[in-house]
Amino acid sequence: QQQVKQSPQSLIVQKGGISIINCAYENTAFDYFPWYQQFPGKGPALLIAIRPDVSEKKEGRFTISFNKSAKQFSLHIMDSQPGDSATYFCAATRNQGGKLIFGQGTELSVKP
Amino acid sequence: GAGVSQSPSNKVTEKGKDVELRCDPISGHTALYWYRQSLGQGLEFLIYFQGNSAPDKSGLPSDRFSAERTGGSVSTLTIQRTQQEDSAVYLCASSLLAASSYEQYFGPGTRLTVT
């Protein structure tokens, strides 16, 4: 019930393409779903986040789509760039904060 | 402004020794979290401090692990009698936890290697 499942494990996209990473959760008590971006040797950096009362949130080239009934959410990176090459983690939490439950991570490589 | 800082950035220790890892959260953030990142286990929650409340220790893997937060600011994670399976990157995060702010901001981590 506490797990967040993320796919794919790795993803290769051409420059200018759309990168899509998916996550699924079981615990309906989760009330906050962030995405983090991590470069080698660095800590995870918050990219974008959504709450379950919203079906979509867009910030620049990054969009979260949220399907509450299916208990799934996804990250879309439009016009992917080589600089987007990193590991992406979805996460979930409940009770207005507290511990983040992370997905397993997706290693994204954007080819020039 | 300054982000979350952690020290040391790297620590190599011998099996059986104790280690202390330090975290300085973002000024004014009331919540502080420790996570561990390893190849086999991904990102795992360890412990969470929020204000003066009792910490959530539910993620600590054994009683060799402990953490404290002094004065509501700096935190130290202590691992006693280190084992090779403790080798990982230990990440600290902090959060304002205001009414509309759940965001957790991570430090760069401490890479621990137990030989």
Side-chain angles (χ1 to χ4, degrees), chain A residues 1-2 25-33 52 66 68-69 71 93-94:
Chain A
Q1 269 244 324
Q2 288 294 317
Y25 64 97
E26 290 294 324
N27 190 340
T28 55
F30 287 146
D31 60 2
Y32 175 71
F33 302 86
F66 188 85
K68 189 174 181 178
S69 61
K71 292 185 285 186
T93 189
R94 54 179 287 191

Side-chain angles (χ1 to χ4, degrees), chain A residues 31-32 36 38 41-46 49 51 87 89 93-104, chain B residues 33 35 37 42-45 48 56 58-59 91 97-109 111:
Chain A
D31 60 2
Y32 175 71
Y36 282 83
Q38 186 177 31
K42 305 291 186 183
L46 181 64
R51 300 191 190 191
T87 300
F89 292 93
T93 189
R94 54 179 287 191
N95 296 336
Q96 297 184 9
K99 62 186 177 185
L100 286 170
I101 308 298
F102 283 91
Q104 296 88 336
Chain B
Y33 313 78
Y35 296 87
Q37 186 170 26
L43 272 158
E44 306 173 86
F45 165 77
Y48 157 49
D56 175 356
S58 61
L91 292 159
L97 277 192
S100 60
S101 177
Y102 294 1
E103 291 87 353
Q104 295 184 24
Y105 297 91
F106 282 80
R111 180 175 295 279

Side-chain angles (χ1 to χ4, degrees), chain A residues 6 17 19 21-23 25 31 35 38 40 43-44 48 53 60 62 67 72 74 78-79 81-82 87 95 97 103:
Chain A
Q6 183 172 347
S19 303
I21 304 170
N22 300 298
C23 285
Y25 64 97
D31 60 2
W35 284 89
Q38 186 177 31
I48 186 172
D53 54 348
F62 300 91
N67 186 330
Q72 295 176 347
S74 60
M78 311 300 287
D79 187 26
Q81 299 297 312
T87 300
N95 296 336

Side-chain angles (χ1 to χ4, degrees), chain B residues 26-100:
Chain B
I26 294 172
S27 178
H29 279 195
T30 58
L32 186 147
Y33 313 78
W34 284 96
Y35 296 87
R36 178 169 70 175
Q37 186 170 26
S38 55
L39 278 175
Q41 300 297 324
L43 272 158
E44 306 173 86
F45 165 77
L46 296 177
I47 187 169
Y48 157 49
F49 296 90
Q50 165 57 351
N52 294 321
S53 302
D56 175 356
K57 303 180 182 180
S58 61
L60 294 179
S62 77
D63 58 7
R64 296 185 296 104
F65 288 73
S66 63
E68 63 177 20
R69 188 178 186 191
T70 54
S73 181
V74 172
S75 177
T76 302
L77 177 69
T78 301
I79 309 173
Q80 296 179 310
R81 306 180 303 281
T82 51
Q83 303 295 312
Q84 287 187 329
E85 62 263 28
D86 299 334
S87 295
V89 176
Y90 289 83
L91 292 159
C92 176
S94 71
S95 174
L96 184 59
L97 277 192
S100 60

